[in-house]
Amino acid sequence: MNCESNVYKIGVLSVNGEKDNTMEQWTPTAEYLSTSIPNTTFEVIPLDYDEFFFVIDNEGIDFFYSNPMVYVEMARIYGAGRIATFQPMWENSSYDGFGGVILTRADRDDINSLQDLKDKSFMAVSEESFGGFLAGAGELHHNGINYNTDFNELTFGKTHDKVVLSIINGDVDAGTVRTGTLEKMALEGKINLKDIKVLNQKEYENFPLLVSTDIYPEWMFGKTALTSDDISNKVSIALLSMPSNSNAAITLDSSGWSVPASYSPVDNLMKELRVSLYVDYGKVSPTQAIIQYWYVLALIFMLFIIFEVHSRWMLEKAKKSKLEDSNELKDLFADIMRHDLLNPAGIVKGFSDVLYMKEMDVEKKETLKIISEQTDHLISMISSAAKLSKLESYEEMKFETNDVGIILWDVVGSFSPEFRKKDIKLDFELKGEYPSRINDIIEDVFSNLISNALKYSPSGSTIRVEIAEIGKSWKIMVADEGDGIPDEAKPYIFERFKRADKKGIKGSGLGLAIVKRIVDIHNGTVGVEDNPQGKGSVFWVMLDKA
């Protein structure tokens, strides 16, 4: 749009490629708009079907006038909007909508219904003509006739007049044109309606023309996505206010314009016929299949994995029947969990993330996001279960004297980005050395407690980490200012799959069970109590001094 000169261009789809006729018909409307809206000039640009989309791609027009199919394409692909719907007139009376007429010669006794058209030659105006092809094709489709396969020959005459004359002259057996064509040709003396037989003739209240199909909304005056709402509203008001006796309305053979109709019937017809942007409608690509049926695929996938794991478990169990104890079997199960479950789950996670980045549909992206989040949850559970199983056998675990404070300091430091992200303050100071005979796996205990404190703490709060000397033990405490743990839940939270009700917080239910198991291995104790400084909880671990 040229904002400086206030020039607005209207792209008008030319029927039958008659651009000169289009200019003659539409110039009065452009002049009417220029006069009705101060400081504006409207220009008409006649366009063929193929030119329409090229001009849109190059932002060459601000408004457009097109048949319903082109409007749907414009709306779906380019985000075009509706301004007003054309209001046709016949014999000084206004009516709504248009459709198609399916016809043959009056003397064709062998063709009396749509079913008789099978194996006959058939002519329409063009593949892009809504009234001259798609409306009729839709009626044929509703009656079980496939225009691609059931005709002996399907041709296109380019103009409505040629289709009608080709049928009368016997060049083709039957054909279809838009409503109003027969009446207009008869009025002009080009044909005699007695020479025509209308097939599947229908009647609608207040619709004065011969018709064989459903009635669809008339041609649309629309706006491109880049056209401002301000000028669009002014154009809408001007068109809706156009007098039926104005030169602009008379030249277009109309009574003016009406409020925009709903074009969903056109959209639905295009889907049914699989035309234009709906050529692949209903076909499910591998990507769409994953998105639409992810839950079925996930169930099949998990059943397959469970079967494979069980089969391998039983096979290995048979092979290991001479094992001295069950610890090696537990190690084997942990390995199976990590490799046979964790790796495929990681693949599902990777694919869902890739699909999420490529998908444009908001609803499908939300589904993929859920898949990804639930896969993260599955991976967490598998990892935790494998770790817990591995901890059941610890006889070969080595314990060395190390400073608990230094290990805790390093763990807390690794969470620095999370502290900054949630704007949570850390209160932690080492006041000496804290030797204890421990294994490196104790890091998992501290990591889990710090991670939980961050999850449950509100932004702007403080997490306090402290090591206290209690007799022959070190008491490591992590205090948060979250919602706390209900008294009735405290005895159970260190059991497997037991969690306090924390809405919106993800977790496998195994984290604190792993914490307890690791602490047990160290001959220590673990617990939770209310934060004495106010809201929140204090999780603590007792480890023997070295």
Side-chain angles (χ1 to χ4, degrees):
M1 180 179 68
N2 189 334
C3 295
E4 294 182 358
S5 59
N6 294 319
V7 175
Y8 300 95
K9 297 179 180 180
I10 307 171
V12 179
L13 182 62
S14 295
V15 179
N16 308 327
E18 298 176 358
K19 293 186 177 181
D20 291 340
N21 187 47
T22 298
M23 281 296 296
E24 183 179 337
Q25 287 184 316
W26 270 86
T27 296
T29 297
E31 293 174 347
Y32 167 80
L33 291 173
S34 301
T35 302
S36 301
I37 305 173
N39 302 318
T40 63
T41 299
F42 286 82
E43 296 179 354
V44 177
I45 303 178
L47 298 169
D48 293 331
Y49 178 81
D50 293 334
E51 294 174 324
F52 224 88
F53 298 95
F54 175 81
V55 172
I56 287 292
D57 281 331
N58 290 277
E59 302 178 10
I61 58 176
D62 306 289
F63 299 95
F64 62 90
Y65 177 69
S66 71
N67 72 28
M69 183 184 76
V70 173
Y71 166 71
V72 170
E73 293 172 322
M74 297 278 285
R76 294 292 188 188
I77 300 173
Y78 299 101
R82 299 176 295 167
I83 295 289
T85 295
F86 183 72
Q87 193 73 46
M89 178 178 286
W90 178 253
E91 295 182 343
N92 298 319
S93 295
S94 178
Y95 64 95
D96 294 319
F98 77 119
V101 185
I102 303 173
L103 61 144
T104 186
R105 267 178 33 164
D107 60 358
R108 289 296 298 262
D109 295 334
D110 59 327
I111 303 177
N112 296 296
S113 70
L114 297 183
Q115 297 300 322
D116 296 331
L117 294 176
K118 291 183 178 181
D119 297 322
K120 300 295 192 300
S121 59
F122 194 88
M123 180 180 283
V125 178
S126 71
E127 290 183 279
E128 296 81 29
S129 175
F130 189 83
F133 177 52
L134 288 184
E139 194 64 31
L140 293 169
H141 174 75
H142 297 157
N143 284 271
I145 300 174
N146 187 323
Y147 63 85
N148 286 313
T149 59
D150 288 340
F151 293 139
N152 178 47
E153 181 183 26
L154 175 62
T155 57
F156 296 98
K158 300 301 181 183
T159 70
H160 293 271
D161 285 13
K162 183 177 179 180
V163 173
V164 175
L165 294 176
S166 295
I167 294 170
I168 292 176
N169 293 334
D171 298 328
V172 292
D173 296 319
T176 185
V177 292
R178 75 159 281 164
T179 52
T181 300
L182 298 179
E183 289 86 351
K184 183 178 179 181
M185 291 181 71
L187 188 64
E188 294 171 348
K190 294 180 180 179
I191 64 169
N192 189 328
L193 290 178
K194 293 181 179 180
D195 297 329
I196 297 296
K197 181 192 298 184
V198 176
L199 302 176
N200 198 55
Q201 185 170 349
K202 297 184 177 183
E203 293 184 1
Y204 297 95
E205 186 177 359
N206 298 323
F207 190 80
L209 306 174
L210 294 170
V211 61
S212 303
T213 70
D214 291 341
I215 298 297
Y216 297 92
E218 261 288 358
W219 283 43
M220 163 60 64
F221 191 102
K223 62 182 271 319
T224 63
L226 296 179
T227 304
S228 72
D229 290 339
D230 180 58
I231 187 62
S232 298
N233 291 336
K234 291 177 180 178
V235 169
S236 176
I237 293 171
L239 290 177
L240 295 177
S241 303
M242 180 184 288
S244 60
N245 61 351
S246 65
N247 186 39
I250 293 172
T251 307
L252 291 175
D253 291 328
S254 76
S255 60
W257 300 83
S258 64
V259 294
S262 169
Y263 286 79
S264 57
V266 177
D267 191 58
N268 293 335
L269 178 62
M270 293 168 66
K271 290 177 181 177
E272 288 180 20
L273 298 179
R274 308 290 195 272
V275 296
S276 182
L277 67 164
Y278 295 118
V279 169
D280 295 321
Y281 180 76
K283 297 178 182 178
V284 181
S285 66
T287 297
Q288 291 171 323
I290 292 174
I291 294 173
Q292 293 181 21
Y293 304 107
W294 66 268
Y295 50 89
V296 177
L297 296 174
L299 177 60
I300 295 173
F301 173 78
M302 292 307 301
L303 289 174
F304 173 77
I305 293 300
I306 291 171
F307 174 78
E308 287 294 313
V309 171
H310 182 265
S311 299
R312 182 177 169 186
W313 169 262
M314 295 303 295
L315 179 63
E316 295 294 341
K317 185 176 180 180
K319 290 180 180 179
K320 301 294 182 179
S321 59
K322 295 182 180 182
L323 291 176
E324 295 180 359
D325 52 47
S326 63
N327 286 337
E328 291 187 39
L329 280 176
K330 292 175 182 176
D331 290 345
L332 177 62
F333 179 73
D335 290 338
I336 292 174
M337 289 282 286
R338 276 194 294 268
H339 296 289
D340 287 44
L341 283 178
L342 198 56
N343 290 346
I347 293 173
V348 173
K349 166 68 175 174
F351 272 112
S352 62
D353 288 345
V354 171
L355 290 172
Y356 179 85
M357 289 187 290
K358 291 184 176 181
E359 182 57 57
M360 301 301 293
D361 185 271
V362 175
E363 186 174 343
K364 292 179 181 178
K365 283 181 76 74
E366 186 62 28
T367 300
L368 286 168
K369 182 181 179 182
I370 293 173
I371 295 174
S372 180
E373 291 174 348
Q374 291 303 312
T375 305
D376 283 337
H377 182 63
L378 175 64
I379 290 172
S380 175
M381 287 192 67
I382 294 172
S383 299
S384 297
K387 181 178 290 185
L388 191 60
S389 177
K390 197 78 172 178
L391 290 172
E392 293 299 323
S393 57
Y394 63 92
E395 285 80 359
E396 297 180 2
M397 192 174 290
K398 295 181 180 180
F399 296 84
E400 298 177 352
T401 300
N402 283 298
D403 192 326
V404 173
I406 293 176
I407 295 174
L408 182 57
W409 182 270
D410 291 340
V411 170
V412 171
S414 68
F415 283 93
S416 295
E418 283 77 9
F419 275 94
R420 289 193 296 270
K421 183 178 180 180
K422 291 194 67 175
D423 189 27
I424 293 177
K425 298 177 183 178
L426 172 65
D427 182 3
F428 179 33
E429 181 180 356
L430 294 177
K431 299 179 180 179
E433 296 182 351
Y434 310 91
S436 179
R437 286 189 58 77
I438 52 180
N439 181 275
D440 290 344
I441 199 173
I442 198 70
E443 292 182 11
D444 287 358
V445 172
F446 302 151
S447 179
N448 187 282
L449 297 183
I450 299 297
S451 176
N452 283 347
L454 282 166
K455 286 181 184 177
Y456 300 128
S457 294
S459 177
S461 62
T462 299
I463 291 177
R464 178 173 53 86
V465 181
E466 183 181 359
I467 303 177
E469 183 177 3
I470 308 294
K472 296 181 179 181
S473 301
W474 302 115
K475 185 175 183 180
I476 300 95
M477 294 168 283
V478 177
D480 63 65
E481 297 177 355
D483 292 333
I485 306 295
D487 291 340
E488 61 271 18
K490 289 174 183 174
Y492 309 107
I493 60 172
F494 293 100
E495 296 181 11
R496 300 179 186 184
F497 303 109
K498 297 289 187 179
R499 300 177 67 235
D501 183 16
K502 299 287 185 179
K503 294 182 180 179
I505 303 297
K506 300 179 179 64
S508 65
L510 289 172
L512 291 177
I514 292 174
V515 166
K516 186 176 187 305
R517 181 58 185 156
I518 294 174
V519 173
D520 287 345
I521 291 172
H522 285 78
N523 294 317
T525 55
V526 62
V528 62
E529 57 194 38
D530 292 336
N531 189 341
Q533 296 185 9
K535 190 178 182 181
S537 301
V538 179
F539 281 83
W540 53 264
V541 173
M542 298 280 282
L543 296 175
D544 291 338
K545 295 180 181 178

